[in-house]
């Protein structure tokens, strides 16, 4: 049983481009969480999804950011028209149910040039 | 407001020594508390998870305590090794009432450096 898989591990985008970050949860897990970590800072909650539902998006910027977790396939965090301030590590975690252990992926490091 | 505060922010100890990291939280309604270890450039890895009724839990050289009355937790590392150098993150889970879902509230972490 593979762990939480995130890809790509590293992503470079020019200002104004779109970034798509993928997260495949552990097998059987239907809950996915996305976090952003700026250099030298802690993890900040962005969004919590269950299959085909957004449970909590209180940490998501109102513009340019969106997330989905379709019935089939990975969860996608999409950042449109990226800016330099979007450069960060984006971590995904998954859990079997709502209150159980959350396991983290290795993150995607986004660099906006 | 749900918050998790950790202290110290950073710590340097000599290899072989013990250390204790602190976590205070104001998260409600409390579901469980976890300690994660995050190596530089890697994702967090769970060390322990404790529910309301658990006071202490060990995982090898790591021992976590929880005082639900004072809303404090500590992580004690015994006989430190160079590989213990990492950030240690306290995470408190708050259940979202009547939903079966949780919200994970992260502390900013303690950066530990174990020096030879």
């Amino acid at each position: 049983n593979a762990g939480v898989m995130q890809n790509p591990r590293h992503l470079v985008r020019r200002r104004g481009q779109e970034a798509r970050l993928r997260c495949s949860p552990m097998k059987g897990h239907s809950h996915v969480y996305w976090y952003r970590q700026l250099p030298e800072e802690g993890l900040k909650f962005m969004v919590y999804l269950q299959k085909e539902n957004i449970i909590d998006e209180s940490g998501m910027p109102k513009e340019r950011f969106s997330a989905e977790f379709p019935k089939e396939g990975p969860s996608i965090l999409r950042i449109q028209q990226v800016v330099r301030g979007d450069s960060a590590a984006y971590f995904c975690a998954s859990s079997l149910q709502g209150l159980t252990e959350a396991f983290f992926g290795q993150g995607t490091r986004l660099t906006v040039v | 407001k749900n918050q998790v505060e950790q202290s110290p922010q950073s710590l340097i100890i000599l290899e072989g020594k013990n250390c204790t990291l602190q976590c205070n939280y104001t998260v409600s309604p409390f579901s469980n508390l976890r300690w994660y270890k995050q190596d530089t450039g890697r994702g967090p890895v769970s060390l322990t998870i404790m529910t309301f009724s658990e006071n202490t839990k060990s995982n090898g050289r790591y021992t976590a305590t929880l005082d639900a009355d004072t809303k404090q937790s500590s992580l004690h590392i015994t006989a430190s090794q160079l590989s213990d150098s990492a950030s240690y993150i306290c995470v408190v889970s708050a259940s979202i009432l009547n939903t079966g879902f949780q919200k994970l509230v992260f502390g900013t972490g303690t950066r530990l450096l174990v020096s030879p």
Side-chain angles (χ1 to χ4, degrees), chain A residues 9 31 33 35 37 39-45 48 50 55-56 58-59 91 93 95 97-107 109, chain B residues 31-32 34 36 38-46 48-49 89 91 93-96 99-109 111:
Chain A
R9 289 294 309 277
H31 296 250
Y33 314 79
Y35 295 85
Q37 186 173 35
E40 307 299 318
E41 293 190 11
L43 281 84
K44 293 287 192 286
F45 170 76
Y48 171 19
Q50 197 189 16
I55 305 302
D56 182 351
S58 58
F91 288 96
S95 65
Q97 296 172 7
L99 296 173
T100 56
E101 182 76 56
F103 296 88
F104 281 82
Q106 296 299 339
R109 273 143 196 87
Chain B
S31 177
N32 56 63
R34 310 118 182 261
Y36 284 87
Q38 185 178 23
D39 293 307
T40 301
R42 308 295 293 262
V45 174
S46 179
T48 67
I49 179 169
I89 308 169
V91 182
S93 171
S95 55
I96 303 173
T99 65
F101 301 128
Q102 64 181 332
K103 188 182 186 94
L104 300 179
V105 184
F106 278 71
T108 53
R111 287 177 164 269

Side-chain angles (χ1 to χ4, degrees), chain A residues 8-42:
Chain A
R9 289 294 309 277
H10 301 274
L11 182 61
V12 179
R13 283 287 177 266
R14 295 186 184 280
R15 279 179 294 171
Q17 290 185 318
E18 178 179 286
R20 279 180 171 248
L21 288 62
R22 293 175 187 76
C23 170
S24 295
M26 288 181 70
K27 188 176 181 180
H29 286 194
S30 61
H31 296 250
V32 164
Y33 314 79
W34 283 94
Y35 295 85
R36 176 164 61 177
Q37 186 173 35
L38 295 171
E40 307 299 318
E41 293 190 11

Side-chain angles (χ1 to χ4, degrees), chain B residues 42-80:
Chain B
R42 308 295 293 262
V45 174
S46 179
L47 295 174
T48 67
I49 179 169
M50 289 190 292
T51 59
F52 184 87
S53 59
E54 295 176 296
N55 300 119
T56 184
K57 186 171 272 192
S58 292
N59 177 4
R61 293 180 298 102
Y62 301 104
T63 299
T65 65
L66 174 64
D67 186 334
D69 291 330
T70 60
K71 300 186 177 181
Q72 295 180 324
S73 175
S74 66
L75 180 69
H76 186 74
I77 305 175
T78 304
S80 61

